[in-house]
Amino acid sequence: MVLTRNKPLLAALLLGFVIMSYLTTGTQSIGVCYGRVGNNLPRPSQVINLYKSNGIKSMRIYDPYPETLQALRGSDIQLILDVPNDDLQSLASDAAAATIWVQNNVVNYASDVKFRYIAVGNEVLPTVDSTSRYARYVLPAMKNVQSAITAANLKGQIKVSTATYSAVLGTSYPPSHGSFNNHVSSFINPIINFLAENDSPLLANIYPYFSYTGNREDIQLPYALFTARGVVVQDGSFQYRNLFDASLDALYAALEKAGGANLRVVVSETGWPSEGDPAATMDNARTYHRNLINHVKGGSTPRRPGQAIETYLFAMFDENQKPGLATEKHFGLFTPGQLSKYQISFS
């Protein structure tokens, strides 16, 4: 998660199978991101046990930490594994380096760790000062990692993608007008083509919290928390009662305009902090997460009716060493002592 946000994806039989798989995975579509930017967090083996005891079936991790990968063996937890931004240049510049990375961090564990996606870079954009230096390496690194995955006979099992966020859009309101920022087109369009060629989804970090706090005059809190009493945004034939769906559909609209109409979007992060801002309260965090889980378990967006929304909550723990705004330290669903901050059900 970045520290600041801009304001503000026999042929007929195969298609039927894919659609049915989306429709039948709703109850298994909730994951939780496991970050480790803290000095008081439990050991990975304890974390895996906490996932299992709470029925959390999917996880995202931000680097290939060996102790975490080892603890995941035999756990049956599906995994998004990130290639850290700092590793992009070496993997982009040297196919052999990508092969070694995949061998060490994926192949060596693949017999009993359920890798689902490799996220090659997180929130990298050429227009953002903190990540622009990585932008030219994302697609070449994706290609090299994909080649290594294919060479290891894991292509059908593990999808290669990258994680983006709201700043990739130039227009997001109304959702049907969603389009990519003109300044990122040369960056994102080839990535879209790569994802389409490899039948991979686009990963996207979607935060109604940041949209709301960045524009409190125009966005009402109930719209961000899934508690609006009726339709808030009428967008042609599409009706929006929550900001999460509107944000996701704006991205789908942008993908359609950029030639990615058939791409699926996986929400690789979303969450609400419980401290550090007037809107960041325990009650609001509980409300957002409960309502989001209920929504994505059985719902879909207006623009993609019937398609389950695979979603990863950010994050498992409060992380006391995260830099930036005070809220950055308070996105956890659990305390470092492994106590739930509020009661929610993941299943």
Side-chain angles (χ1 to χ4, degrees):
M1 184 170 53
V2 295
L3 306 182
T4 58
R5 304 278 170 171
N6 285 12
K7 282 185 178 180
L9 253 286
L10 308 245
L13 291 175
L14 177 60
L15 178 60
F17 174 80
V18 170
I19 290 174
M20 286 307 297
S21 71
Y22 290 163
L23 293 175
T24 58
T25 56
T27 57
Q28 300 180 13
S29 61
I30 299 296
V32 179
C33 303
Y34 168 32
R36 295 184 297 105
V37 189
N39 61 8
N40 58 353
L41 300 177
R43 302 307 309 171
S45 59
Q46 296 173 294
V47 175
I48 302 309
N49 287 336
L50 190 60
Y51 271 70
K52 292 165 69 175
S53 66
N54 282 276
I56 305 170
K57 302 180 184 299
S58 301
M59 172 188 288
R60 179 182 179 185
I61 59 176
Y62 295 90
D63 64 338
Y65 186 51
E67 189 176 343
T68 302
L69 292 172
Q70 188 66 33
L72 281 164
R73 288 188 184 275
S75 67
D76 215 31
I77 294 172
Q78 298 192 85
L79 184 67
I80 300 178
L81 171 61
D82 277 34
V83 174
N85 291 347
D86 286 339
D87 290 349
L88 294 175
Q89 182 175 358
S90 63
L91 271 58
S93 305
D94 186 356
T99 298
I100 293 170
W101 193 96
V102 169
Q103 178 66 49
N104 290 342
N105 303 309
V106 180
V107 177
N108 287 352
Y109 300 93
S111 63
D112 51 4
V113 173
K114 289 194 169 183
F115 294 96
R116 186 163 175 80
Y117 310 115
I118 307 296
V120 182
N122 183 49
E123 298 189 340
V124 175
L125 287 177
T127 54
V128 176
D129 289 344
S130 60
T131 64
S132 59
R133 66 187 182 278
Y134 303 117
R136 61 176 172 157
Y137 303 121
V138 174
L139 183 59
M142 292 173 71
K143 289 179 176 179
N144 284 342
V145 170
Q146 180 69 69
S147 294
I149 290 290
T150 300
N153 295 317
L154 294 171
K155 182 177 181 181
Q157 176 182 335
I158 303 169
K159 298 297 184 180
V160 176
S161 187
T162 188
T164 190
Y165 73 116
S166 59
V168 75
L169 297 178
T171 302
S172 60
Y173 181 86
S176 63
H177 289 192
S179 61
F180 291 115
N181 185 322
N182 290 334
H183 298 292
V184 306
S185 295
S186 61
F187 167 77
I188 197 66
N189 288 349
I191 290 174
I192 292 169
N193 293 336
F194 170 89
L195 296 175
E197 290 168 2
N198 290 281
D199 192 28
S200 294
L202 177 65
L203 308 183
N205 303 338
I206 293 178
Y207 283 91
Y209 169 78
F210 287 111
S211 297
Y212 166 71
T213 57
N215 191 11
R216 298 178 207 244
E217 291 184 1
D218 296 326
I219 299 175
Q220 299 299 309
L221 184 61
Y223 186 49
L225 291 175
F226 295 87
T227 57
R229 294 183 178 273
V231 174
V232 177
V233 174
Q234 184 74 44
D235 183 14
S237 62
F238 300 130
Q239 296 181 330
Y240 292 93
R241 298 169 183 266
N242 66 80
L243 183 54
F244 177 86
D245 280 354
S247 301
L248 185 49
D249 273 357
L251 183 54
Y252 273 123
L255 286 169
E256 291 168 12
K257 295 177 179 69
N262 294 324
L263 288 186
R264 184 169 61 99
V265 175
V266 170
V267 179
S268 46
E269 285 184 15
T270 189
W272 197 285
S274 59
E275 191 177 324
D277 180 87
T281 67
M282 198 75 76
D283 187 55
N284 284 348
R286 178 195 302 112
T287 298
Y288 179 77
H289 288 114
R290 280 183 177 175
N291 290 338
L292 171 74
I293 290 169
N294 289 335
H295 178 59
V296 303
K297 274 166 54 177
S300 55
T301 72
R303 200 172 192 90
R304 290 292 185 273
Q307 181 171 301
I309 310 168
E310 185 176 352
T311 301
Y312 293 74
L313 308 182
F314 187 91
M316 194 65 173
F317 301 106
D318 285 344
E319 297 173 73
N320 66 356
Q321 293 182 318
K322 291 208 73 170
L325 299 174
T327 52
E328 292 290 329
K329 297 177 174 65
H330 300 286
F331 272 86
L333 303 172
F334 293 83
T335 69
Q338 304 181 63
L339 299 176
S340 177
K341 289 164 64 176
Y342 36 81
Q343 200 63 38
I344 56 175
S345 173
F346 300 94
S347 58

